[in-house]
Amino acid sequence: MEERGATRYLGVLFSFAGWQEQETQIMKMAKAFFIETTMIRPSLQQLKEGVQAVLGARLAFPRQVMPSNSKCLNYVRTQVCKAISYVLGFHGEQYDLGESSLAAIAFTPEDMGLGLGFPDPEVAGITQDARRIFEGFESDDDRVAAATYALL
């Protein structure tokens, strides 16, 4: 890791060369999560709870410091959709599922009709970013509030 110019600090990989090391780590983590998940053959509800509780937390932590990455998020969405199709018994899908109609159904809330209610990693990241911005605006420390306004 050090030979590639990256160092791990509090579980997040930092590098002067960019976020490629952390993105690779996120993709490996997502792939391992779904390999382990399909081995235990969960129900759809168990899969949803695992994605929300375990995978969501693992994705949210590095997002506190790194910017959003469409390629990385689409990979995670694709892995979620592959796991859903496996649990539902649809096998052999060889195309990108992250932008498919299955993704549209999977990441739509249950109360909106056909939605499966899986947490969307992109929406979770955007929500987390918005919360950080609001925390900065409402900070009692004028320097933090000024820095937040300056970033926008």
Side-chain angles (χ1 to χ4, degrees):
M1 189 168 37
E2 286 84 16
E3 59 272 358
R4 293 187 302 268
T7 185
R8 184 182 301 274
Y9 181 70
L10 296 176
V12 179
L13 294 170
F14 290 94
S15 172
F16 288 111
W19 293 104
Q20 293 83 11
E21 287 291 326
Q22 183 63 44
E23 292 163 3
T24 303
Q25 188 71 21
I26 287 173
M27 289 182 188
K28 284 181 185 177
M29 179 266 309
K31 185 175 182 180
F33 174 81
F34 289 111
I35 287 172
E36 293 169 0
T37 300
T38 54
M39 288 177 14
I40 61 170
R41 299 177 185 257
S43 68
L44 193 62
Q45 184 64 31
Q46 290 169 331
L47 178 64
K48 182 174 26 172
E49 290 173 4
V51 166
Q52 185 171 1
V54 178
L55 187 65
R58 289 181 184 174
L59 291 173
F61 185 72
R63 279 279 288 134
Q64 294 179 42
V65 294
M66 68 181 283
S68 179
N69 181 322
S70 298
K71 178 185 165 194
C72 188
L73 291 173
N74 191 45
Y75 177 80
V76 173
R77 290 182 76 180
T78 299
Q79 294 300 318
V80 170
C81 290
K82 284 182 180 179
I84 291 169
S85 65
Y86 180 80
V87 167
L88 294 176
F90 305 129
H91 303 289
E93 299 293 336
Q94 299 299 322
Y95 57 91
D96 183 16
L97 293 170
E99 298 294 329
S100 68
S101 57
L102 176 58
I105 293 171
F107 299 117
T108 300
E110 290 175 341
D111 59 352
M112 296 183 76
L114 292 175
L116 295 177
F118 276 77
D120 188 343
E122 186 170 13
V123 172
I126 291 169
T127 303
Q128 183 176 349
D129 291 345
R131 285 182 182 151
R132 297 277 183 248
I133 290 170
F134 289 135
E135 287 172 3
F137 287 152
E138 296 176 356
S139 174
D140 293 334
D141 188 347
D142 292 336
R143 294 171 295 184
V144 173
T148 304
Y149 281 110
L151 286 174
L152 295 176

